[in-house]
Amino acid sequence: MITFSNISYSRGVKTLVKDFDLTLFSGEAVGIVGANGCGKSTLFQLILGDLGTDTGNIETPANLRIAHVKQDTPDYEISALDYVLDGDKPLREAQQRLREAEHRNNGEAIALAHQQLEQVGAYDAEARASRLLFGLGFSESQMQSNINDLSGGWRVRLNLAQALIQTSDVLLLDEPTNHLDLDAVFWLESFLKSYPGTLLIISHDRDFLDAIVSRVLHFSDGLIKSYSGNYSQFLRTKTEQELLQQKQFEKQQAKVKHLQSFIDRFKAKASKAKQAQSRVKALEKMASIENISIREKLSFEFFEPKHKPDPLVTFDSINTGYDATRILENISLSIRCDSRIGLLGRNGAGKSTLLKTLANTDVTVEGKREASKHLQVGYFAQHQLEQLNGQQSAFEQLQNLDENLTEQQVRNYLGGFAFHGDKVFEPVKSFSGGEKARLVLALIIYQKPNLILLDEPTNHLAMICSIASVII
């Protein structure tokens, strides 16, 4: 059980959550949803004790075991399998006790260590770790591979596997389906359904949440509201509440208009002054109801490219990969100016490699690649989030592309990507993953590309709009 009492917390000058009260019970599966940057991941940091609250307390039982997915990708000279086993701390501690007992040649301590190893499941630990890795898409050879030989996406999966192998009372998962192919998502879904502890999942994957959670916490405007049921039930309930609220707002506005009309007509008349004053007081006491229809939404459009050559790029018997390692062979294709192409396949099959080959970046290419002289590529890749200048603001980074933009033009453009007010002047290093993804998308679109390549664009975005000539 975890109890939140009068919790408030901020990021810089922005209050993320105010006066939050909630109790999470053992065995609950809870989905956490809301716009990027609203404080969902910060809530996890509070539970872990990595951050402190501004006000209030978080109460947890003594010796509560909390598992979570590390944010930093591993960089060790050990195998993938050993890295996952490192997540089982009771196992590693028992193994260390056995090594120490054997070093001392203490028979009693050796016997006790073997007993402890049996209690922590040491003799099937590798099998458990292998099942986790296999479910997440690792081959047997990858399980034995050195971590440094694996790509960033595979290392993210290792962090997930390391969290899943732990014996825990609470499991915190922040966008766990990022970097997973469909088979791995289905496997993870099945695994989590049998998790016996309290499960908290931050995710924008509606189908994934629908299959697992029985409660939803929605972050919005500094408040956290709890809804019973899965994500689809939450949406229905929230929509019904907002429709009711909008009707109440419209009814209130009609009443305000009527009262104000009476005040304006009779406030100067002595015979009606008392009645007019009573209506002024009624207006002052009236609690304001929010107008749902004017809430800010993500709203932008794609500019017309300067040139629309056809075809944009053509491959003829292309081999591509990294240095001497070929990933794709004998690729022949032509990308038309009106193409909309989806790339499907398991992780490691070469989808990202194909996009890099189209973008002509970070790969070795053999064969004939012909690109139009007017080709302008907009390439959205996960590493681009890291390449944003963390010290600069969104305002500065857009002006870097076009120094002739006025402040109002910058504000208007970034506003379409839900960057408003002082947010446009905040250093990008303070942005959430989703906010950085929106900024990267905004910078790409501003440059009017005629070919847009999107590599897992929804990993950090709360939503993504459909686009013109796109490869996804």
Side-chain angles (χ1 to χ4, degrees):
M1 179 186 295
I2 302 176
T3 301
F4 303 87
S5 302
N6 194 35
I7 295 295
S8 297
Y9 57 91
S10 307
R11 182 196 293 147
V13 297
K14 180 183 178 181
T15 298
L16 297 175
V17 171
K18 186 176 181 181
D19 302 331
F20 172 47
D21 295 287
L22 183 74
T23 298
L24 297 174
F25 296 97
S26 178
E28 278 196 296
V30 183
I32 300 178
V33 301
N36 296 127
C38 65
K40 304 186 297 295
S41 297
T42 305
L43 180 66
F44 279 11
Q45 293 177 291
L46 294 174
I47 294 173
L48 292 167
D50 295 337
L51 292 176
T53 62
D54 298 335
T55 63
N57 297 296
I58 300 176
E59 298 178 8
T60 60
N63 302 317
L64 184 72
R65 298 168 299 179
I66 303 177
H68 71 287
V69 180
K70 295 177 181 178
Q71 296 302 307
D72 296 330
T73 54
D75 185 17
Y76 306 122
E77 293 290 335
I78 61 174
S79 71
L81 187 64
D82 281 333
Y83 178 77
V84 174
L85 288 170
D86 284 347
D88 191 338
K89 288 182 173 56
L91 168 68
R92 290 310 198 201
E93 289 170 359
Q95 289 174 334
Q96 179 62 26
R97 282 192 289 269
L98 176 61
R99 285 191 292 269
E100 292 172 355
E102 289 175 338
H103 180 72
R104 299 194 310 269
N105 198 26
N106 185 324
E108 182 178 350
I110 291 173
L112 180 59
H114 278 291
Q115 182 180 357
Q116 291 172 334
L117 284 168
E118 184 174 359
Q119 289 172 347
V120 299
Y123 303 113
D124 69 345
E126 285 199 8
R128 287 187 286 113
S130 296
R131 284 196 295 271
L132 286 173
L133 290 171
F134 183 76
L136 292 172
F138 283 78
S139 65
E140 289 188 18
S141 62
Q142 285 176 307
M143 294 181 199
Q144 302 302 327
S145 295
N146 190 299
I147 290 177
N148 290 333
D149 294 332
L150 298 174
S151 68
W154 287 106
R155 296 188 200 185
V156 171
R157 293 188 187 208
L158 283 180
N159 282 343
L160 177 57
Q162 195 181 74
L164 297 180
I165 202 171
Q166 298 176 40
T167 301
S168 60
D169 305 304
V170 178
L171 179 58
L172 309 179
L173 297 178
D174 192 344
E175 298 291 356
T177 58
N178 285 3
H179 302 286
L180 299 185
D181 55 27
L182 287 177
D183 288 340
V185 170
F186 292 145
W187 175 88
L188 180 62
E189 180 183 305
S190 176
F191 181 91
L192 294 178
K193 285 179 180 178
S194 62
Y195 177 71
T198 302
L199 179 61
L200 302 182
I201 307 175
I202 298 172
S203 180
H204 297 123
D205 188 329
R206 300 182 181 188
D207 293 334
F208 184 72
L209 290 176
D210 269 348
I212 297 171
V213 306
S214 57
R215 184 177 187 179
V216 171
L217 299 183
H218 179 236
F219 283 61
S220 178
D221 300 323
L223 300 176
I224 305 178
K225 294 183 180 179
S226 178
Y227 295 80
S228 297
N230 62 16
Y231 187 86
S232 292
Q233 291 170 312
F234 148 72
L235 276 184
R236 286 194 293 270
T237 303
K238 179 172 173 288
T239 300
E240 291 169 359
Q241 291 176 347
E242 290 184 343
L243 287 173
L244 177 61
Q245 180 175 332
Q246 190 64 23
K247 289 180 180 179
Q248 291 173 336
F249 169 80
E250 292 169 358
K251 184 177 180 180
Q252 183 184 69
Q253 291 305 298
K255 184 175 182 180
V256 167
K257 184 178 180 181
H258 176 74
L259 291 173
Q260 191 63 54
S261 176
F262 185 93
I263 293 167
D264 293 341
R265 287 174 60 197
F266 298 114
K267 64 183 177 181
K269 291 188 177 182
S271 60
K272 297 285 188 178
K274 187 174 181 180
Q275 293 174 326
Q277 188 60 35
S278 70
R279 284 164 173 76
V280 170
K281 291 180 179 180
L283 276 178
E284 292 173 349
K285 292 180 180 179
M286 192 177 294
S288 178
I289 298 174
E290 182 187 4
N291 183 3
I292 298 293
S293 66
I294 63 171
R295 281 185 177 176
E296 296 286 359
K297 295 180 175 63
L298 192 66
S299 176
F300 62 90
E301 62 184 44
F302 288 84
F303 301 120
E304 186 74 15
K306 292 181 180 179
H307 304 281
K308 298 177 70 176
D310 194 13
L312 294 163
V313 61
T314 300
F315 292 170
D316 186 5
S317 299
I318 287 286
N319 299 323
T320 183
Y322 306 92
D323 297 325
T325 304
R326 286 186 180 180
I327 304 298
L328 298 171
E329 295 183 333
N330 197 29
I331 304 298
S332 296
L333 57 82
S334 180
I335 306 298
R336 305 292 301 274
C337 68
D338 58 351
S339 297
R340 287 170 172 80
I341 302 172
L343 302 183
L344 300 177
R346 66 181 300 276
N347 285 92
K351 303 185 297 298
S352 295
T353 302
L354 179 59
L355 293 188
K356 290 176 182 178
T357 306
L358 287 166
N360 200 25
T361 180
D362 299 331
V363 289
T364 302
V365 178
E366 301 170 353
K368 191 176 182 181
R369 176 189 182 276
E370 288 188 357
S372 166
K373 66 178 181 180
H374 294 302
L375 175 67
Q376 185 170 358
V377 176
Y379 181 29
F380 182 104
Q382 291 305 306
H383 70 271
Q384 287 181 292
L385 275 63
E386 301 167 5
Q387 290 177 356
L388 288 169
N389 188 325
Q391 304 303 319
Q392 288 190 331
S393 66
F395 186 96
E396 291 172 306
Q397 297 197 46
L398 183 59
Q399 276 205 325
N400 289 343
L401 297 179
D402 187 350
E403 60 184 15
N404 295 319
L405 288 173
T406 66
E407 177 176 336
Q408 191 58 53
Q409 287 173 323
V410 173
R411 282 183 171 277
N412 290 345
Y413 181 74
L414 291 176
F417 293 85
F419 296 110
H420 304 287
D422 291 337
K423 188 70 180 179
V424 301
F425 298 116
E426 291 180 15
V428 168
K429 65 181 180 181
S430 68
F431 284 15
S432 69
E435 289 170 330
K436 289 178 181 177
R438 287 208 312 271
L439 178 57
V440 168
L441 188 62
L443 297 176
I444 288 173
I445 291 173
Y446 186 80
Q447 297 173 75
K448 303 179 182 178
N450 47 33
L451 175 62
I452 297 182
L453 311 174
L454 302 180
D455 193 346
E456 299 288 358
T458 60
N459 271 359
H460 293 284
L461 294 176
M463 65 172 290
I464 188 78
C465 296
S466 59
I467 34 188
S469 296
V470 178
I471 298 215
I472 303 177

